[in-house]
Amino acid sequence: MGLVIELAAVQANWKALAERAPGARAGAVVKADAYGLGAERVAPALYEAGARDFFVALAAEGRAIRPHLPDDAQIFVLSGHMEGEDLTGLVPLLNSPEQFFRDRALRPRGPFGIQLDSGMNRLGLEPGEWAAIRSEALAAGPRLISSHLACADEPDHPANAAQLAAFRAMTEGVSAPRSLAATGGILLGPDFHFDVVRPGVGMYGGQPFAEARPVVTLSLPLIQTREVKPGESVGYGYNWTAQRTSRVATVAAGYADGLARALARHGELKLWSGDRACPVIGRISMDLITVDVTDLPDVPKELEILNARQGVDMLADLSGTIGYEILTSLGPRFTRTYR
């Protein structure tokens, strides 16, 4: 099983998003192991492209990539300063008064940032909390003051303007760098860019960055091919029955690898041999997927489930989810190869 990651495409997508915000510094979101693609390889490639600010969800993720980045790279931890965490070489984005006072007590000279809640009600200091500690926090010199948009992938959603107004109000007069926009926010335009933008899913080829270059190809090896006669059925529940003499291939992957059973629920999922599409038949099981390869002139050793023709967002549509979940669910049994 092979998951091929095109690092040049990640770099190109990062640069394209950075160019959409020419007045801001472009960072890079590499949380969840760079959305499942391998942060220890992806983060240095993004540094090479020009990124100097990196964002992870947890301190452990930051510690994992710290040795792979030069000293001038800042690694911001979105969960802030959790109790007992080692934050050496990292910059926590503090989310509450409790985190702020804990951080200042335990690491009074350590770099930090502040995360504000501009209306998403998920992480960050609310306006009243921020007002109470603002003077003390700003005097300590935060590296970044950030917030996050809830509906940036819906350009006309009224929450975007409301959150922008709230963030402006909370940060008026602040001299520290400010950041509001991830991929969707970058595409909303310059009002949302401020000083630092945070490209994320768009770097990895996902929506809402429709112009992104494809980043991943996932090939699944064939284990066995058999002839199935008319009236014979395939897989659990016998929910596919041959209407003609069919050649059925079984490939080595399944829901244990992040290819959810729901992908096959509407019978529209395809695997690819070059430019030829082969329908997935029957149910996706834990380790196996069955495919009708009757119409192929020759049966290859592998079939592709992710490629330039069928990207992560197409798979997401088939299974009723989002491209983020497809990427981050791809399991460790897929060997990662970087080009």
Side-chain angles (χ1 to χ4, degrees):
M1 294 184 282
L3 180 61
V4 177
I5 295 118
E6 300 284 353
L7 292 176
V10 177
Q11 292 173 318
N13 292 337
W14 178 85
K15 289 176 181 178
L17 287 165
E19 289 169 0
R20 296 290 188 98
R25 193 168 78 228
V29 181
V30 293
K31 62 183 181 176
D33 199 26
Y35 290 40
L37 300 186
E40 292 182 5
R41 294 295 301 272
V42 170
L46 289 166
Y47 182 94
E48 181 182 275
R52 295 296 181 269
D53 303 302
F54 296 84
F55 296 85
V56 296
L58 303 171
E61 295 178 332
R63 292 194 297 271
I65 63 171
R66 181 72 272 179
H68 301 277
L69 292 170
D71 290 343
D72 65 334
Q74 298 187 105
I75 302 174
F76 292 95
V77 180
L78 297 169
S79 59
H81 188 156
M82 304 286 282
E83 285 190 71
E85 284 287 10
D86 177 7
L87 293 166
T88 304
L90 309 178
V91 185
L93 287 174
L94 307 175
N95 288 294
S96 65
E98 292 81 5
Q99 284 200 352
F100 175 74
F101 291 118
R102 177 190 303 134
D103 190 70
R104 295 301 82 194
L106 295 177
R107 41 192 304 278
R109 292 183 175 81
F112 73 98
I114 296 289
Q115 190 159 194
L116 302 176
D117 176 21
S118 57
M120 195 174 184
N121 287 304
R122 194 177 65 167
L123 281 180
L125 288 97
E126 296 182 1
E129 296 173 325
W130 173 232
I133 69 164
R134 174 180 162 129
S135 295
E136 185 175 353
L138 294 179
R143 297 278 182 94
L144 187 70
I145 297 180
S146 71
S147 190
H148 193 56
L149 295 167
C151 303
D153 57 345
E154 302 176 57
D156 298 325
H157 199 292
N160 295 321
Q163 286 194 259
L164 176 61
F167 186 65
R168 281 179 169 159
M170 293 172 78
T171 59
E172 186 177 359
V174 165
S175 60
R178 295 180 292 174
S179 178
L180 179 62
T183 298
I186 293 170
L187 302 177
L188 290 177
D191 286 348
F192 292 82
H193 294 165
F194 293 93
D195 305 296
V196 176
V197 292
R198 311 186 304 270
V201 72
M203 296 190 304
Y204 306 111
Q207 295 287 357
F209 188 33
E211 298 170 22
R213 281 175 50 178
V215 168
V216 295
T217 303
L218 178 56
S219 301
L220 310 178
L222 270 67
I223 302 173
Q224 186 177 15
T225 306
R226 68 177 63 243
E227 182 179 285
V228 177
K229 295 182 174 61
E232 292 185 332
S233 299
V234 172
Y236 285 120
Y238 275 12
N239 68 336
W240 183 87
T241 299
Q243 303 300 309
R244 60 174 177 168
T245 300
S246 302
R247 188 167 46 178
V248 173
T250 301
V251 301
Y255 60 76
D257 303 295
L259 302 175
R261 294 174 79 243
L263 282 168
R265 61 182 176 165
H266 298 309
E268 298 174 7
L269 178 63
K270 306 291 193 295
L271 299 191
W272 292 79
S273 175
D275 60 357
R276 289 175 174 264
C278 306
V280 169
I281 58 175
R283 294 180 184 172
I284 294 175
S285 53
M286 184 182 293
D287 315 293
L288 303 171
I289 297 173
T290 43
V291 190
D292 186 348
V293 294
T294 309
D295 295 328
L296 291 183
D298 299 293
V299 180
K301 293 181 178 180
E302 296 180 326
L303 292 169
E304 294 176 352
I305 190 169
L306 280 172
N307 55 27
R309 297 176 181 84
Q310 182 169 272
V312 293
D313 290 293
M314 287 185 66
L315 290 194
D317 289 343
L318 289 174
S319 58
T321 184
I322 55 176
Y324 301 74
E325 186 174 5
I326 298 295
L327 279 174
T328 59
S329 297
L330 297 175
R333 295 197 294 192
F334 296 132
T335 301
R336 269 74 170 162
T337 302
Y338 297 88
R339 292 201 298 222

